[in-house]
Amino acid sequence: MLPKRVFQFFIIYFLFIGGLMIMKYSLHLSDYVIPAPSDMLHTMVAEYRQYSLATINTMTVAIIGQVLSVIMAFVIGIIGRQSTWLGSFIKVAAYNIQAYPIVALAPILFILLGDGFITRLLIAAMICYFPVLLSVLGIMSKPIDDIEHFYRVTGRMRWQLEVKIRTFENLTQLTTVIAGSATLAMAGTIVGEFIAANAGIGYSIRIALYQSDLGKILIALFLIGITIAVYQALLELLGVAIKRTWTGK
Amino acid sequence: MKTKGKRFIQSAFLLLMTTLLVTNSARANDKVSYRLKWLRNVSVVGALYAETNGLFEKAGLDVQVKPGGPERDAIREIELGHADFGTASADQVLRARTKGSPVVVIAQLFQVNPLQWMYRPEDMKIDSLADLNGKTIGVTFGGNDETIMRTLLAEAGFNDRDVKLFSVRYDYTPFYQRQVQLWPVYRNAQGPIITAQLNKEGETTAFFNPADFGVKFVANSVVTHSRILAEKPELVQRFLDALLAGWEQALDSKNEKEVLAILQKYDPDTPTSIQEQQLKITRELIQPNPSIAIGAIDEKSWEQTQQIMYDQKLLPQKIDLKEILK
């Protein structure tokens, strides 16, 4: 799974770079508009260490943010699955919060909480929790009648058991959503860093933009892409491992 | 038959004249586009004046003036053919040329760089660069202000332990809360707005201008493609004449009322009283000395800008400025 993901990323990235090069050489564009491959290689060698550390920094924030958002989505999803007034209120509140664009909220968060770790974490969590929440709400609100009926008629159904049954029956879907939300967590963290943080790859991209250096931005995109590909593959492997443990297969 | 022939000749003549007129008027209005460096505000008032008062049309040009912004790069647009003219900062031009971009400078808009540092005179006095010692100074890491400030600090013989560089954001809260003592602003655009806000709180402001301490880092210039300049020098001249006439008339105090009305149209969120001050400061930055023509290229300042960027390893090599400055 891991080599496949990385290989797929390489195909996408190099197709993109190939497209840029075709454009560069067919339109006779300078290295300022699109850097030459040798320039990119030179930038890669010069910036590799600094940009790798910045990407790891961003990824760390994104992973913690994603874990938080998954917990948050499960808590809200489990409470919101009920067709009670509280359940409906939580759903509406969750949808409303998501309606505010993060680019508008981020500067306020940075003013209130400063430009450190907590703000980046909060932005990452806010961006990636909603798709997870939607899936959790959908999964948790849909009864698995074949199994649940037995526990209901025998009076042994508890909410913990209900959640467990529905999670187990939809594990593949949940794993896919959680792996997908990793991309959003990373994107959210980068947006936050780009707007106001002092660290991370988003901050490095902002500096590169000030310096009109597309080569640095392309290297940053490479590192972001490969890191996400590896992380997503690991999440999928984790999902498979959990399923194996639960089913014993 | 004779009458028919005469009518035919008359009709043909009329058709020819009409065609010639239409062709001529189409040729007279050459279509070009001009990408500004920033949004439509006081920093681009000359272009706004030329556009509003039909100065481009009078020069036989149909100019599409496009607002700029942080994500816009006039040089890239010129090279890609999306714009014919643009405004770019000197550091952009130098970076682009070292990477082979065929951009050339045809006029320098700001003779004094508007990028300056705001401070509270009741808290400090800056008579020499030594007065910066121990201060917390705001800079945009990766931006021009960082380059300029690092040059000033090197001139003063300071290192990173002597001053604290603070990463600047969109909001001014750290300056308002006195966490940062010197904050970078565009003297003509943001300067009057923040001064007014601080004045409301009973505070005064002053500006630290690097040029007063010998650092003349060139700001915005008008640029075009070297091919356009070589192939259509007459068109470039017409555009430049109209644009600079726009600047000249916009900065003429006789036209102030009209200019303020134009600024209000494009920038209604800024009160007229502030725009009045912005305009006054812009005049001093564009033409600090009446003997210097608007748009004149200050070659010495370009040389210094290039040297600063080279010293800070922002340029891999130096280039012959004669190839850029036209």
Side-chain angles (χ1 to χ4, degrees):
Chain A
M1 202 173 275
L2 186 63
K4 195 174 114 188
R5 278 270 186 193
V6 173
F7 182 64
Q8 284 168 342
F9 165 71
F10 273 107
I11 293 174
I12 295 166
Y13 184 79
F14 286 106
L15 275 176
F16 170 63
I17 296 293
L20 283 181
M21 291 308 139
I22 290 169
M23 195 175 162
K24 175 183 169 65
Y25 291 109
S26 59
L27 297 174
H28 306 288
L29 299 174
S30 72
D31 293 348
Y32 180 72
V33 179
I34 298 172
S38 58
D39 273 359
M40 284 180 63
L41 198 67
H42 182 259
T43 308
M44 180 77 163
V45 170
E47 304 294 338
Y48 177 74
R49 195 180 147 73
Q50 194 199 328
Y51 274 36
S52 296
L53 290 173
T55 310
I56 290 166
N57 186 318
T58 303
M59 198 66 220
T60 310
V61 177
I63 291 171
I64 302 171
Q66 195 196 6
V67 170
L68 277 180
S69 72
V70 169
I71 293 170
M72 203 157 71
F74 266 87
V75 170
I76 295 171
I78 289 167
I79 302 170
R81 83 190 193 286
Q82 296 161 336
S83 48
T84 57
W85 184 89
L86 183 67
S88 145
F89 174 78
I90 285 173
K91 273 186 210 170
V92 171
Y95 291 164
N96 278 348
I97 289 169
Q98 190 61 29
Y100 298 113
I102 204 70
V103 283
L105 284 177
I108 301 169
L109 291 175
F110 280 108
I111 291 169
L112 295 175
L113 302 170
D115 55 10
F117 174 76
I118 295 293
T119 318
R120 289 160 69 204
L121 189 67
L122 197 60
I123 291 172
M126 280 179 76
I127 283 196
C128 86
Y129 102 103
F130 195 65
V132 183
L133 173 68
L134 281 183
S135 299
V136 173
L137 272 175
I139 288 165
M140 293 301 162
S141 310
K142 201 174 156 192
I144 312 290
D145 287 330
D146 295 351
I147 304 167
E148 289 179 20
H149 177 71
F150 169 74
Y151 292 101
R152 282 215 175 85
V153 293
T154 54
R156 288 160 62 193
M157 181 59 97
R158 299 282 180 275
W159 73 267
Q160 294 95 326
L161 184 60
E162 187 182 276
V163 168
K164 208 171 174 182
I165 292 167
R166 293 178 189 181
T167 306
F168 179 75
E169 287 300 313
N170 294 284
L171 199 59
T172 313
Q173 191 187 337
L174 276 172
T175 308
T176 310
V177 171
I178 290 170
S181 73
T183 318
L184 290 172
M186 189 72 172
T189 314
I190 293 169
V191 168
E193 289 165 354
F194 188 84
I195 295 171
N198 266 341
I201 196 70
Y203 178 63
S204 302
I205 290 175
R206 193 166 73 113
I207 291 177
L209 272 179
Y210 276 127
Q211 296 171 344
S212 306
D213 196 332
L214 191 64
K216 283 183 179 174
I217 294 167
L218 292 173
I219 297 305
L221 291 180
F222 174 78
L223 292 170
I224 291 167
I226 199 149
T227 311
I228 288 178
V230 170
Y231 179 53
Q232 278 184 324
L234 290 176
L235 281 176
E236 283 166 4
L237 286 172
L238 187 67
V240 171
I242 291 171
K243 199 165 185 181
R244 266 192 203 143
T245 313
W246 277 20
T247 58
K249 289 177 192 168
Chain B
M1 192 70 190
K2 255 188 179 178
T3 324
K4 267 190 182 176
K6 204 175 170 185
R7 269 188 197 160
F8 175 76
I9 290 167
Q10 275 176 345
S11 304
F13 182 71
L14 200 68
L15 189 71
L16 182 71
M17 288 307 287
T18 314
T19 313
L20 275 174
L21 261 173
V22 170
T23 318
N24 202 36
S25 63
R27 207 192 130 269
N29 283 317
D30 290 309
K31 271 195 170 188
V32 292
S33 62
Y34 175 40
R35 173 67 75 188
L36 301 172
K37 178 88 167 78
W38 195 240
L39 305 173
R40 292 170 188 265
N41 69 3
V42 73
S43 289
V44 297
V45 70
L48 300 182
Y49 190 92
E51 187 187 30
T52 310
N53 287 281
L55 300 186
F56 291 124
E57 279 86 352
K58 280 176 199 162
L61 297 166
D62 179 4
V63 180
Q64 188 193 4
V65 180
K66 299 192 275 191
E71 76 289 359
R72 303 281 184 201
D73 185 330
I75 298 174
R76 284 201 173 101
E77 291 196 17
I78 286 171
E79 211 181 319
L80 286 163
H82 302 321
D84 302 290
F85 300 94
T87 303
S89 55
D91 68 305
Q92 278 181 310
V93 173
L94 293 168
R95 280 181 218 270
R97 280 302 295 220
T98 53
K99 290 182 179 177
S101 180
V103 66
V104 287
V105 174
I106 53 174
Q108 181 182 324
L109 293 176
F110 284 93
Q111 298 301 321
V112 179
N113 195 328
L115 188 56
Q116 299 177 12
W117 275 261
M118 176 179 251
Y119 64 95
R120 293 176 175 86
E122 67 264 29
D123 290 354
M124 71 174 88
K125 225 174 130 187
I126 307 178
D127 293 327
S128 71
L129 291 178
D131 293 326
L132 295 176
N133 196 5
K135 302 288 185 291
T136 303
I137 303 167
V139 292
T140 316
F141 285 108
N144 276 346
D145 49 336
E146 186 196 0
T147 309
I148 296 169
M149 184 47 74
R150 287 199 185 278
T151 305
L152 289 162
L153 296 176
E155 289 277 320
F158 292 152
N159 58 34
D160 286 351
R161 278 169 295 173
D162 297 318
V163 295
K164 190 181 168 195
L165 294 183
F166 182 95
S167 180
V168 160
R169 302 273 168 269
Y170 294 112
D171 75 288
Y172 297 89
T173 313
F175 182 69
Y176 291 144
Q177 291 177 340
R178 292 173 191 267
Q179 275 177 272
V180 178
Q181 290 154 300
L182 290 113
W183 191 270
V185 290
Y186 282 95
R187 175 77 183 87
N188 61 328
Q190 298 157 313
I193 297 171
I194 304 166
T195 299
Q197 282 169 351
L198 287 173
N199 286 350
K200 271 189 209 163
E201 305 297 320
E203 293 182 40
T204 53
T205 51
F207 292 87
F208 168 66
N209 180 6
D212 295 340
F213 298 89
V215 175
K216 291 184 176 177
F217 197 91
V218 179
N220 294 350
S221 295
V222 184
V223 295
T224 189
H225 199 294
S226 57
R227 191 189 59 240
I228 297 180
L229 183 64
E231 291 175 2
K232 300 173 184 172
E234 181 264 343
L235 179 127
V236 172
Q237 196 56 55
R238 271 192 289 148
F239 172 78
L240 195 57
D241 289 346
L243 180 67
L244 295 181
W247 272 102
E248 208 159 298
Q249 291 172 38
L251 299 181
D252 190 335
S253 50
K254 280 186 280 179
N255 300 324
E256 187 167 306
K257 212 174 163 185
E258 188 193 348
V259 174
L260 289 173
I262 294 170
L263 286 175
Q264 261 306 301
K265 182 184 159 195
Y266 290 113
D267 182 17
D269 296 335
T270 308
T272 307
S273 58
I274 298 279
Q275 284 174 337
E276 217 174 305
Q277 292 171 50
Q278 288 179 326
L279 190 61
K280 184 175 173 284
I281 299 162
T282 304
R283 271 188 207 116
E284 292 157 14
L285 301 173
I286 297 282
Q287 197 176 28
N289 184 341
S291 65
I292 301 169
I294 290 177
I297 294 171
D298 181 354
E299 286 181 24
K300 277 191 179 168
S301 295
W302 274 89
E303 274 166 26
Q304 193 188 21
T305 303
Q306 176 165 234
Q307 189 62 48
I308 287 170
M309 291 183 72
Y310 181 72
D311 290 344
Q312 291 192 26
K313 297 185 172 58
L314 297 171
L315 293 178
Q317 78 270 351
K318 286 210 259 180
I319 41 174
D320 184 3
L321 290 174
K322 280 178 193 149
E323 288 176 15
I324 308 177
L325 311 175
K326 301 292 176 182

